[in-house]
Structures are given as C-alpha cells and as structure tokens.
Amino acid sequence: MPPNYSRQPVPNSDVLLISLNVQGLNKPEKRSSLLRLLWKKRAQIAFIQETHFRVDAIQPIKDRRFLYAYHSASPDSKTRGVSILISNSIFWEQLDTRTDGAGRYLFVKGKLAGTLATVYSPNSGQVRFIDSALAALSEFAEGTLVLGGDFNIPIDPVLSSSLHAQQTSRPALFSLVIRYMACSESDIKRLYILLQPS
C-alpha cells in the first residue's frame, strides 16, 4: 500500500524506510533530486549521511511531503553531516533530539514512534566511534529503535576495496549493537538496523 501523503497522518504500522549516503547536499539540484528519489521510492522516513552541511549553513531539505527535517552538522567544515527526514504521512510528535555536535550522529525520539537514529562512521577507528555512539544511543533510546547509517564497515573485510585497513565486518557490528542494546538501561522494545551497501 503506498504512503498516504494527505494532510491527515495515519497511525504508524508499515513504514517505508530508506538510508542513503548522498555525498553532499549543498547544491539545490542535489536536494531536489533527493526529494524526487524519496517520492519515487515512496520512502516515509529517510536516514541521510554525508550532507556536508556546516552548523551555520544548514540547507532546507523539506517539502510538502517531508515536513519534518532534523540535522547534525560539522561546526567548522563542509564534511560529514547526517539528517533524518520524516514524511507527513507519519503520525509524528517530537519528544527529544541528541547530536554529537560533529555531524556524525543524530537521534530523534517521537511520541508513539519510538527512536530514530542515523550514524555516519569515520573511515578509520570505526569500532571506537560506534562504541561511543551506541553508548550515547543506549542512554537516549526508548520504544522501537530504528538505526540507519553508513558505518563504513564492509560485508567482508577481506574483499573490501577500501584503502583503510578495516578489521571489522558487519556480523561484528551486529554483535556490538546487540550487546549494547541487551545491556542498556533503556526501554528498547524492538531494534531495526538499515545499512549502506559496501
């Protein structure tokens, strides 16, 4: 069933999610292209990485279908940056947000919807970064948790074409996430993870 983009949001049941590394959204054409892609894919919640916004120059990336936009940006350069876009077809009421202040992660908590989180991991030191981000997330999250992002971790480190020596695989990432969530004091009921293809 396609999303209902009318003015009256429907209660959340089946929600279409997408996670994208956009490699910069400073040009208006790229922002328009992103919104067209989300419309074409019928996405209702989008987890966006590498927006390349600075804190003092965040560009609007919302339209009549995506009224809610949350951002975490770099304070001093056009690198990194993450956003979460939420369609007006979702019944959404924001309760709280948290960022790292460096454009690497963003957590948003909503009434009835639970917690949405997006992460953009550095090219090296992923485990240390993910460990830190998950510690912050486990303190913040409650209800259903949807974690989307680009963790810069290959499916198989042996087959990775990256120039960086990566010792972590996706199964190791899942183990790390599950360990944190199982040990956390938070009120997490369900966990969903969206990953970028590597």
Side-chain angles (χ1 to χ4, degrees), residues 71-156:
H71 310 282
S72 175
S74 173
D76 52 8
S77 67
K78 288 186 176 182
T79 60
R80 303 182 295 270
V82 292
S83 296
I84 296 175
L85 306 179
I86 303 170
S87 162
N88 61 339
S89 69
I90 299 291
F91 185 79
W92 179 254
E93 184 180 336
Q94 175 192 330
L95 296 176
D96 198 6
T97 62
R98 182 174 297 168
T99 70
D100 66 337
R104 290 281 180 195
Y105 68 72
L106 166 65
F107 312 148
V108 182
K109 196 182 309 181
K111 193 173 186 178
L112 300 178
T115 304
L116 306 173
T118 187
V119 173
Y120 175 55
S121 182
N123 291 328
S124 61
Q126 295 96 327
V127 172
R128 186 175 42 244
F129 166 78
I130 292 167
D131 196 49
S132 170
L134 290 177
L137 181 57
S138 66
E139 292 173 6
F140 179 83
E142 60 184 58
T144 298
L145 169 61
V146 181
L147 173 59
D150 183 346
F151 294 90
N152 274 314
I153 294 176
I155 294 171
D156 184 346

Side-chain angles (χ1 to χ4, degrees), residues 149-170:
D150 183 346
F151 294 90
N152 274 314
I153 294 176
I155 294 171
D156 184 346
V158 175
L159 300 176
S160 175
S161 61
S162 173
L163 298 175
H164 300 281
Q166 297 180 353
Q167 301 299 319
T168 306
S169 66
R170 289 194 179 178

Side-chain angles (χ1 to χ4, degrees), residues 6-25:
S6 69
R7 293 185 187 272
Q8 297 297 318
V10 295
N12 305 338
S13 55
D14 293 335
V15 178
L16 300 167
L17 310 167
I18 191 167
S19 181
L20 298 167
N21 182 318
V22 293
Q23 299 175 347
L25 286 175

